[in-house]
Amino acid sequence: MTALGTLRVLTLAAAGACLAGLAWLTARAFAFGRRVYLSEPRGRAGRGLLYAFGKGMADKESVSRHLPTMLGGVVYHTAIFAALLDVVWTALPVRPGPPPGVFRPVLLAGAVVGPALLAKRAAKPHLRRLSCPDDFFANLFVDVFLALAFLRTVIPSLETALLAVSILLFFYIPLGKIRHCVFFFFTRVVFGLHFGRRGALPGSESRA
Amino acid sequence: MADATARHDPYQDKLDSLTDADLAAILAELRRRLKAPEIAAAHTCIRCGLCADACHYYLTNGELEDVPAHKLNLVLGVIKHHFLPGGRRAGGWVGARKLDKAVVREWVDALFGRCSGCGRCTVNCTSGINIHGLIRAARGALAAAGLVPPELQSTVMTAVEQGNNMGIPRDEWLETVDWIQDELRAETGDPGARIPVDEKGARLLYTVNPREPKFFPLSLLAAAKLFHAAGESWTFSSDRYDVTNYGLYSGDDSCAGLLSGRLVQAREDLGAEVLVLGECGHGFASTRWEAPQWLNRRFGFPVKSVLEVAAEYVRQGRVRLDPSKNKKPLTLHDPCNLVRLGGVVEEQRYLLENAVEDFREMTPNRRNNYCCGGGGGQLAMTRFAKRRLAAGRLKAEQIRATGAMVVVAPCHNCIDQLTELGKEYGLGTEVKTVIEIVADALVLPRKNA
Ligand code: SF4
Ligand code: SF4
């Protein structure tokens, strides 16, 4: 097997390890027990869930008062998912591989936005003091990953470097804050159900 | 602690002399409260800081210690260190912190002294983390080591030991009810008008904030008038009528469960169909939403806010309201525990739209209302009073912007804070409850007959 072929296999193995790590963390969280609600619902939990993943994603002050940051966050996360898809597709023995231009715009946007978010974290005194080293490191790490993912669409020979960084990133994901990629959804589900059953979210009020 | 006086404070001594056993008690109680959602929260918060300006403390004070994520991460840091895989090894890299005396001091200052448990951060968090819930869990952990600020703890214990948080003796309560019954007869012109006490088989058991018999008897009269006008079958309990539950604020689930459990038991003893909670935001959240968890049982009977009951009366035509009886411009404060965290959002609006001529909404309102600053036990914790009044500035500005002459709140804790804010910020507004306004608008079947 060529060096590149070996790197591709290692990338897939690292991605698998990443998923296994996230699954293990999820299982550990569930080992603490689920919360069973004993109060009579007043509203509709299902509607709360819909709200949490629908209108509620934008219907909050963290969006309305911080629109540039939130839009930046959306672009950043879209770029990360695109880059991960790109990397895994590249590593899989599926040919043709990803068309080189298809992810380019979003990867470029992500590679620009990432450092901007990092700069904001470093520049704003309260945000800086709120942060731990992992917040800076994870951001920087992902920025390097996105930059490489973008550059690889222009310079194909960078694939080796991209795969090498990806392997490290896959191992880091369950260890640091990037694990929120799974737990965000969990927390959002709990939010929707908890407040939906109380009828406290728009649209979750009981019909009665 | 900023507001602590220079006088000798045994509570500070206690914080200074914490033992390993105290720390172990805190950790054990914290661990007991952790379920999957709290662990998920520890993995979810990315310290984006976008919850900062959801909090009235931060908006009025602007210190890092006021940022909800800071308060949250004081708790999550300890959870990470003690209960999450790799937390000890990763340490400060991921914000994990070992619980020690210094952390306990920070917890007390931030979680008791800079939070009213309003949940505004929770609904505005990018991820929807139950920030106020985790803060309460940590308060409960402090309670396990006897570290609730003494003024708050004494309010809890007065209720536990004397049956109500004002320590009103039973005779005094019954005398007040008797006197209000006379007033009811005079107001309605109906010599047969009654305020039933311990009446078995009544449809509703009605509970109130003990501040009503003590300082605001007209609130009792207003509710009695409403029930009378609706021809309702209702009763007070002679000894279990306190709707408040400061155990919600101290975080102590066993006291909280005991207090709500009394109301549940009174309903069962009297055979009432519905437990009706008077105008008290945290009392509603406690007994309607939290008590089944505290008592580990499903209730199987309705628990309602008096606002829901009153709105039903108006909808069903059981009472008639004349808005011309309330002419002054009026605005409504949304108690956090009743509205954002409790789901009772529109009933009070429906009532006011039918009961007043000039109803003006504050901005923002409903689920996004600003806390008045009086919740979370802040009214009891005099050591943090300066912060409480400073944090209430936003609410004062909201009220002023409406140009209203009357501000109403369906919560007696909020009423107290709003009254203090009125003085502090020179608002010149009257402060009333929703049911008082509804009672003023009632068209009674007979008057002075
Ligand atoms: S908005 Fe939510 S995720 Fe962001 S810092 Fe605040 S609590 Fe954490
Ligand atoms: S619950 Fe309310 S007072 Fe407490 S941190 Fe959140 S917004 Fe601030």
PDB file of all heavy atoms in Angstrom, chain A residues 85-108:
ATOM      1  N   LEU A  85     -16.858  15.774   5.882  1.00  0.00           N
ATOM      2  CA  LEU A  85     -17.423  14.943   4.807  1.00  0.00           C
ATOM      3  C   LEU A  85     -16.403  14.773   3.686  1.00  0.00           C
ATOM      4  O   LEU A  85     -16.182  13.661   3.175  1.00  0.00           O
ATOM      5  CB  LEU A  85     -18.708  15.609   4.287  1.00  0.00           C
ATOM      6  CG  LEU A  85     -19.427  14.909   3.143  1.00  0.00           C
ATOM      7  CD1 LEU A  85     -19.960  13.543   3.600  1.00  0.00           C
ATOM      8  CD2 LEU A  85     -20.604  15.758   2.641  1.00  0.00           C
ATOM      9  N   ASP A  86     -15.780  15.873   3.359  1.00  0.00           N
ATOM     10  CA  ASP A  86     -14.762  15.883   2.301  1.00  0.00           C
ATOM     11  C   ASP A  86     -13.626  14.912   2.640  1.00  0.00           C
ATOM     12  O   ASP A  86     -13.205  14.088   1.817  1.00  0.00           O
ATOM     13  CB  ASP A  86     -14.239  17.329   2.183  1.00  0.00           C
ATOM     14  CG  ASP A  86     -13.350  17.521   0.969  1.00  0.00           C
ATOM     15  OD1 ASP A  86     -13.391  16.663   0.060  1.00  0.00           O
ATOM     16  OD2 ASP A  86     -12.610  18.528   0.932  1.00  0.00           O
ATOM     17  N   VAL A  87     -13.163  14.989   3.881  1.00  0.00           N
ATOM     18  CA  VAL A  87     -12.028  14.158   4.303  1.00  0.00           C
ATOM     19  C   VAL A  87     -12.406  12.674   4.289  1.00  0.00           C
ATOM     20  O   VAL A  87     -11.679  11.818   3.771  1.00  0.00           O
ATOM     21  CB  VAL A  87     -11.553  14.596   5.711  1.00  0.00           C
ATOM     22  CG1 VAL A  87     -10.711  13.517   6.370  1.00  0.00           C
ATOM     23  CG2 VAL A  87     -10.771  15.889   5.613  1.00  0.00           C
ATOM     24  N   VAL A  88     -13.580  12.374   4.862  1.00  0.00           N
ATOM     25  CA  VAL A  88     -13.991  10.970   4.934  1.00  0.00           C
ATOM     26  C   VAL A  88     -14.219  10.420   3.526  1.00  0.00           C
ATOM     27  O   VAL A  88     -13.801   9.298   3.198  1.00  0.00           O
ATOM     28  CB  VAL A  88     -15.252  10.826   5.819  1.00  0.00           C
ATOM     29  CG1 VAL A  88     -15.813   9.412   5.732  1.00  0.00           C
ATOM     30  CG2 VAL A  88     -14.902  11.158   7.259  1.00  0.00           C
ATOM     31  N   TRP A  89     -14.814  11.223   2.678  1.00  0.00           N
ATOM     32  CA  TRP A  89     -15.060  10.805   1.287  1.00  0.00           C
ATOM     33  C   TRP A  89     -13.718  10.552   0.587  1.00  0.00           C
ATOM     34  O   TRP A  89     -13.532   9.578  -0.132  1.00  0.00           O
ATOM     35  CB  TRP A  89     -15.869  11.909   0.586  1.00  0.00           C
ATOM     36  CG  TRP A  89     -16.437  11.529  -0.753  1.00  0.00           C
ATOM     37  CD1 TRP A  89     -16.180  10.414  -1.499  1.00  0.00           C
ATOM     38  CD2 TRP A  89     -17.371  12.302  -1.517  1.00  0.00           C
ATOM     39  NE1 TRP A  89     -16.892  10.423  -2.660  1.00  0.00           N
ATOM     40  CE2 TRP A  89     -17.639  11.577  -2.712  1.00  0.00           C
ATOM     41  CE3 TRP A  89     -18.021  13.525  -1.317  1.00  0.00           C
ATOM     42  CZ2 TRP A  89     -18.515  12.056  -3.698  1.00  0.00           C
ATOM     43  CZ3 TRP A  89     -18.890  13.989  -2.298  1.00  0.00           C
ATOM     44  CH2 TRP A  89     -19.138  13.274  -3.475  1.00  0.00           C
ATOM     45  N   THR A  90     -12.802  11.432   0.841  1.00  0.00           N
ATOM     46  CA  THR A  90     -11.465  11.281   0.244  1.00  0.00           C
ATOM     47  C   THR A  90     -10.809   9.982   0.707  1.00  0.00           C
ATOM     48  O   THR A  90     -10.170   9.268  -0.072  1.00  0.00           O
ATOM     49  CB  THR A  90     -10.579  12.483   0.656  1.00  0.00           C
ATOM     50  OG1 THR A  90     -11.200  13.673   0.216  1.00  0.00           O
ATOM     51  CG2 THR A  90      -9.182  12.376   0.062  1.00  0.00           C
ATOM     52  N   ALA A  91     -10.990   9.672   1.978  1.00  0.00           N
ATOM     53  CA  ALA A  91     -10.310   8.503   2.547  1.00  0.00           C
ATOM     54  C   ALA A  91     -10.997   7.190   2.174  1.00  0.00           C
ATOM     55  O   ALA A  91     -10.365   6.137   2.165  1.00  0.00           O
ATOM     56  CB  ALA A  91     -10.248   8.649   4.067  1.00  0.00           C
ATOM     57  N   LEU A  92     -12.305   7.274   1.898  1.00  0.00           N
ATOM     58  CA  LEU A  92     -13.037   6.051   1.567  1.00  0.00           C
ATOM     59  C   LEU A  92     -12.613   5.521   0.197  1.00  0.00           C
ATOM     60  O   LEU A  92     -12.277   6.314  -0.697  1.00  0.00           O
ATOM     61  CB  LEU A  92     -14.548   6.348   1.538  1.00  0.00           C
ATOM     62  CG  LEU A  92     -15.271   6.366   2.884  1.00  0.00           C
ATOM     63  CD1 LEU A  92     -16.692   6.885   2.688  1.00  0.00           C
ATOM     64  CD2 LEU A  92     -15.306   4.987   3.526  1.00  0.00           C
ATOM     65  N   PRO A  93     -12.641   4.232   0.014  1.00  0.00           N
ATOM     66  CA  PRO A  93     -12.286   3.677  -1.300  1.00  0.00           C
ATOM     67  C   PRO A  93     -13.433   3.825  -2.286  1.00  0.00           C
ATOM     68  O   PRO A  93     -13.869   2.861  -2.902  1.00  0.00           O
ATOM     69  CB  PRO A  93     -11.983   2.212  -0.970  1.00  0.00           C
ATOM     70  CG  PRO A  93     -12.774   1.906   0.250  1.00  0.00           C
ATOM     71  CD  PRO A  93     -12.925   3.178   1.004  1.00  0.00           C
ATOM     72  N   VAL A  94     -13.985   5.009  -2.370  1.00  0.00           N
ATOM     73  CA  VAL A  94     -15.100   5.286  -3.277  1.00  0.00           C
ATOM     74  C   VAL A  94     -14.595   6.270  -4.316  1.00  0.00           C
ATOM     75  O   VAL A  94     -14.126   7.356  -3.953  1.00  0.00           O
ATOM     76  CB  VAL A  94     -16.295   5.923  -2.525  1.00  0.00           C
ATOM     77  CG1 VAL A  94     -17.432   6.242  -3.476  1.00  0.00           C
ATOM     78  CG2 VAL A  94     -16.763   5.023  -1.401  1.00  0.00           C
ATOM     79  N   ARG A  95     -14.671   5.888  -5.544  1.00  0.00           N
ATOM     80  CA  ARG A  95     -14.207   6.798  -6.589  1.00  0.00           C
ATOM     81  C   ARG A  95     -15.324   7.023  -7.586  1.00  0.00           C
ATOM     82  O   ARG A  95     -16.098   6.096  -7.849  1.00  0.00           O
ATOM     83  CB  ARG A  95     -12.953   6.230  -7.276  1.00  0.00           C
ATOM     84  CG  ARG A  95     -11.712   6.263  -6.354  1.00  0.00           C
ATOM     85  CD  ARG A  95     -11.304   7.722  -6.030  1.00  0.00           C
ATOM     86  NE  ARG A  95     -10.301   7.811  -4.972  1.00  0.00           N
ATOM     87  CZ  ARG A  95     -10.565   8.002  -3.679  1.00  0.00           C
ATOM     88  NH1 ARG A  95     -11.793   8.116  -3.268  1.00  0.00           N
ATOM     89  NH2 ARG A  95      -9.606   8.113  -2.809  1.00  0.00           N
ATOM     90  N   PRO A  96     -15.534   8.202  -8.129  1.00  0.00           N
ATOM     91  CA  PRO A  96     -14.665   9.355  -7.930  1.00  0.00           C
ATOM     92  C   PRO A  96     -14.773   9.919  -6.516  1.00  0.00           C
ATOM     93  O   PRO A  96     -15.797   9.772  -5.853  1.00  0.00           O
ATOM     94  CB  PRO A  96     -15.194  10.373  -8.950  1.00  0.00           C
ATOM     95  CG  PRO A  96     -16.622   9.993  -9.163  1.00  0.00           C
ATOM     96  CD  PRO A  96     -16.692   8.495  -8.995  1.00  0.00           C
ATOM     97  N   GLY A  97     -13.725  10.608  -6.105  1.00  0.00           N
ATOM     98  CA  GLY A  97     -13.706  11.300  -4.826  1.00  0.00           C
ATOM     99  C   GLY A  97     -14.533  12.571  -4.937  1.00  0.00           C
ATOM    100  O   GLY A  97     -15.165  12.831  -5.965  1.00  0.00           O
ATOM    101  N   PRO A  98     -14.547  13.363  -3.868  1.00  0.00           N
ATOM    102  CA  PRO A  98     -15.342  14.595  -3.888  1.00  0.00           C
ATOM    103  C   PRO A  98     -14.870  15.545  -4.989  1.00  0.00           C
ATOM    104  O   PRO A  98     -13.662  15.732  -5.142  1.00  0.00           O
ATOM    105  CB  PRO A  98     -15.085  15.196  -2.509  1.00  0.00           C
ATOM    106  CG  PRO A  98     -13.876  14.528  -1.993  1.00  0.00           C
ATOM    107  CD  PRO A  98     -13.806  13.185  -2.633  1.00  0.00           C
ATOM    108  N   PRO A  99     -15.814  16.115  -5.754  1.00  0.00           N
ATOM    109  CA  PRO A  99     -15.400  17.075  -6.777  1.00  0.00           C
ATOM    110  C   PRO A  99     -14.665  18.224  -6.108  1.00  0.00           C
ATOM    111  O   PRO A  99     -15.152  18.760  -5.110  1.00  0.00           O
ATOM    112  CB  PRO A  99     -16.714  17.562  -7.386  1.00  0.00           C
ATOM    113  CG  PRO A  99     -17.781  16.669  -6.849  1.00  0.00           C
ATOM    114  CD  PRO A  99     -17.255  15.983  -5.648  1.00  0.00           C
ATOM    115  N   PRO A 100     -13.512  18.607  -6.604  1.00  0.00           N
ATOM    116  CA  PRO A 100     -12.647  19.547  -5.881  1.00  0.00           C
ATOM    117  C   PRO A 100     -13.290  20.899  -5.597  1.00  0.00           C
ATOM    118  O   PRO A 100     -13.022  21.502  -4.561  1.00  0.00           O
ATOM    119  CB  PRO A 100     -11.431  19.698  -6.798  1.00  0.00           C
ATOM    120  CG  PRO A 100     -11.780  19.040  -8.085  1.00  0.00           C
ATOM    121  CD  PRO A 100     -12.939  18.123  -7.858  1.00  0.00           C
ATOM    122  N   GLY A 101     -14.177  21.339  -6.485  1.00  0.00           N
ATOM    123  CA  GLY A 101     -14.690  22.699  -6.287  1.00  0.00           C
ATOM    124  C   GLY A 101     -15.916  22.794  -5.414  1.00  0.00           C
ATOM    125  O   GLY A 101     -16.253  23.869  -4.921  1.00  0.00           O
ATOM    126  N   VAL A 102     -16.569  21.652  -5.149  1.00  0.00           N
ATOM    127  CA  VAL A 102     -17.913  21.757  -4.580  1.00  0.00           C
ATOM    128  C   VAL A 102     -17.923  22.350  -3.167  1.00  0.00           C
ATOM    129  O   VAL A 102     -18.808  23.117  -2.805  1.00  0.00           O
ATOM    130  CB  VAL A 102     -18.643  20.384  -4.656  1.00  0.00           C
ATOM    131  CG1 VAL A 102     -18.072  19.385  -3.660  1.00  0.00           C
ATOM    132  CG2 VAL A 102     -20.125  20.553  -4.434  1.00  0.00           C
ATOM    133  N   PHE A 103     -16.936  22.003  -2.365  1.00  0.00           N
ATOM    134  CA  PHE A 103     -16.921  22.523  -0.991  1.00  0.00           C
ATOM    135  C   PHE A 103     -16.117  23.824  -0.870  1.00  0.00           C
ATOM    136  O   PHE A 103     -16.046  24.411   0.203  1.00  0.00           O
ATOM    137  CB  PHE A 103     -16.324  21.489  -0.039  1.00  0.00           C
ATOM    138  CG  PHE A 103     -17.133  20.224   0.090  1.00  0.00           C
ATOM    139  CD1 PHE A 103     -16.554  18.981  -0.119  1.00  0.00           C
ATOM    140  CD2 PHE A 103     -18.481  20.276   0.426  1.00  0.00           C
ATOM    141  CE1 PHE A 103     -17.306  17.814   0.004  1.00  0.00           C
ATOM    142  CE2 PHE A 103     -19.235  19.112   0.550  1.00  0.00           C
ATOM    143  CZ  PHE A 103     -18.647  17.877   0.331  1.00  0.00           C
ATOM    144  N   ARG A 104     -15.512  24.223  -1.970  1.00  0.00           N
ATOM    145  CA  ARG A 104     -14.527  25.315  -1.877  1.00  0.00           C
ATOM    146  C   ARG A 104     -15.075  26.600  -1.226  1.00  0.00           C
ATOM    147  O   ARG A 104     -14.464  27.118  -0.283  1.00  0.00           O
ATOM    148  CB  ARG A 104     -13.956  25.619  -3.260  1.00  0.00           C
ATOM    149  CG  ARG A 104     -12.702  26.480  -3.209  1.00  0.00           C
ATOM    150  CD  ARG A 104     -12.093  26.670  -4.588  1.00  0.00           C
ATOM    151  NE  ARG A 104     -11.495  25.470  -5.107  1.00  0.00           N
ATOM    152  CZ  ARG A 104     -11.413  25.186  -6.411  1.00  0.00           C
ATOM    153  NH1 ARG A 104     -11.901  26.009  -7.315  1.00  0.00           N
ATOM    154  NH2 ARG A 104     -10.824  24.079  -6.815  1.00  0.00           N
ATOM    155  N   PRO A 105     -16.224  27.096  -1.703  1.00  0.00           N
ATOM    156  CA  PRO A 105     -16.680  28.381  -1.118  1.00  0.00           C
ATOM    157  C   PRO A 105     -16.917  28.292   0.389  1.00  0.00           C
ATOM    158  O   PRO A 105     -16.498  29.174   1.135  1.00  0.00           O
ATOM    159  CB  PRO A 105     -17.991  28.669  -1.860  1.00  0.00           C
ATOM    160  CG  PRO A 105     -17.963  27.799  -3.072  1.00  0.00           C
ATOM    161  CD  PRO A 105     -17.122  26.615  -2.752  1.00  0.00           C
ATOM    162  N   VAL A 106     -17.601  27.216   0.817  1.00  0.00           N
ATOM    163  CA  VAL A 106     -17.921  27.138   2.245  1.00  0.00           C
ATOM    164  C   VAL A 106     -16.649  26.903   3.070  1.00  0.00           C
ATOM    165  O   VAL A 106     -16.510  27.435   4.189  1.00  0.00           O
ATOM    166  CB  VAL A 106     -19.021  26.074   2.524  1.00  0.00           C
ATOM    167  CG1 VAL A 106     -18.508  24.655   2.320  1.00  0.00           C
ATOM    168  CG2 VAL A 106     -19.556  26.215   3.938  1.00  0.00           C
ATOM    169  N   LEU A 107     -15.706  26.155   2.521  1.00  0.00           N
ATOM    170  CA  LEU A 107     -14.453  25.942   3.256  1.00  0.00           C
ATOM    171  C   LEU A 107     -13.676  27.249   3.386  1.00  0.00           C
ATOM    172  O   LEU A 107     -13.112  27.549   4.455  1.00  0.00           O
ATOM    173  CB  LEU A 107     -13.598  24.888   2.550  1.00  0.00           C
ATOM    174  CG  LEU A 107     -14.173  23.460   2.561  1.00  0.00           C
ATOM    175  CD1 LEU A 107     -13.268  22.501   1.787  1.00  0.00           C
ATOM    176  CD2 LEU A 107     -14.348  22.962   3.988  1.00  0.00           C
ATOM    177  N   LEU A 108     -13.692  28.021   2.317  1.00  0.00           N
ATOM    178  CA  LEU A 108     -13.005  29.322   2.377  1.00  0.00           C
ATOM    179  C   LEU A 108     -13.671  30.215   3.429  1.00  0.00           C
ATOM    180  O   LEU A 108     -12.994  30.829   4.264  1.00  0.00           O
ATOM    181  CB  LEU A 108     -13.041  30.004   0.998  1.00  0.00           C
ATOM    182  CG  LEU A 108     -12.473  31.423   0.963  1.00  0.00           C
ATOM    183  CD1 LEU A 108     -10.998  31.433   1.376  1.00  0.00           C
ATOM    184  CD2 LEU A 108     -12.624  32.048  -0.434  1.00  0.00           C
TER     185      LEU A 108
END
